[in-house]
Amino acid sequence: HEYSGNKNCTAGPSNLQNKQILEFLESSGICWSCSSQGMHLGNGTVLIDSHSSQEGGGISGTQCSIEMSNIAIFNSSSTNNGGALFIDLDSTVNIETSTFDRNIAGGAGGAIACNGCAAVDVKETLFSNNIATNGEGGAVFANFHTSSTATGSVVVMKSNFIQNAAV
């Protein structure tokens, strides 16, 4: 599936299941939102030109477990943190064989921002041309001080970072 977001991305209903989320997105072109539940995105899902006036230009998760496999997020932006993806409050994200390209955050984390999340695990993923305009985390930014457990982890394996910038 390929989704082109609108310039005023809003969060989708949090009570939708994965299949319903995809159908809802297909008909409305909005971004993903996950609150207190899990989400899996995979099998060639592509998100293009999504924008959020808050955090997470393409995907935002609060107390959520997010699995991404073989996905791509291009040209997404947020006014605050996480140009493509923002997770917080003990959320986890597992990303495999994916691409984050040309995403821009008005805050930290051009591609991904974690604020109090529990874990960010990344394998075989490309981060290219992502920009954080506040000077923190051109590709990935993590702040664990707001977590209820005050601990967290970022693990990146066999991934490429090309021309990301924190300006």
Side-chain angles (χ1 to χ4, degrees):
H1 289 90
E2 183 174 300
Y3 301 100
S4 288
N6 59 37
K7 295 300 177 190
N8 298 302
C9 181
T10 58
S14 61
N15 62 342
L16 296 177
Q17 298 300 316
N18 290 336
K19 186 175 186 302
Q20 292 172 309
I21 288 172
L22 293 177
E23 290 170 355
F24 184 74
L25 288 167
E26 199 164 52
S27 65
S28 64
I30 64 170
C31 65
W32 284 274
S33 176
C34 175
S35 178
S36 301
Q37 57 186 334
M39 178 186 300
H40 174 81
L41 302 171
N43 298 323
T45 300
V46 177
L47 181 61
I48 302 170
D49 296 326
S50 183
H51 175 74
S52 172
S53 60
Q54 301 296 315
E55 273 95 9
I59 301 166
S60 180
T62 300
Q63 294 181 330
C64 180
S65 174
I66 301 173
E67 301 286 327
M68 300 175 171
S69 179
N70 193 31
I71 67 125
I73 302 178
F74 299 105
N75 296 325
S76 289
S77 63
S78 66
T79 301
N80 294 314
N81 302 320
L85 168 66
F86 176 80
I87 58 173
D88 69 351
L89 298 178
D90 301 320
S91 294
T92 62
V93 64
N94 184 2
I95 303 167
E96 293 186 23
T97 321
S98 296
T99 300
F100 293 84
D101 185 41
R102 297 182 312 272
N103 301 293
I104 299 173
I112 299 172
C114 151
N115 187 32
C117 67
V120 177
D121 293 313
V122 180
K123 296 177 187 167
E124 300 176 357
T125 293
L126 171 64
F127 293 90
S128 59
N129 306 300
N130 299 291
I131 299 170
T133 61
N134 79 339
E136 298 180 306
V140 179
F141 171 81
N143 173 12
F144 299 113
H145 298 291
T146 60
S147 171
S148 65
T149 60
T151 62
S153 67
V154 175
V155 177
V156 179
M157 298 180 351
K158 297 182 181 178
S159 295
N160 292 307
F161 292 82
I162 301 169
Q163 295 182 344
N164 299 287
V167 294

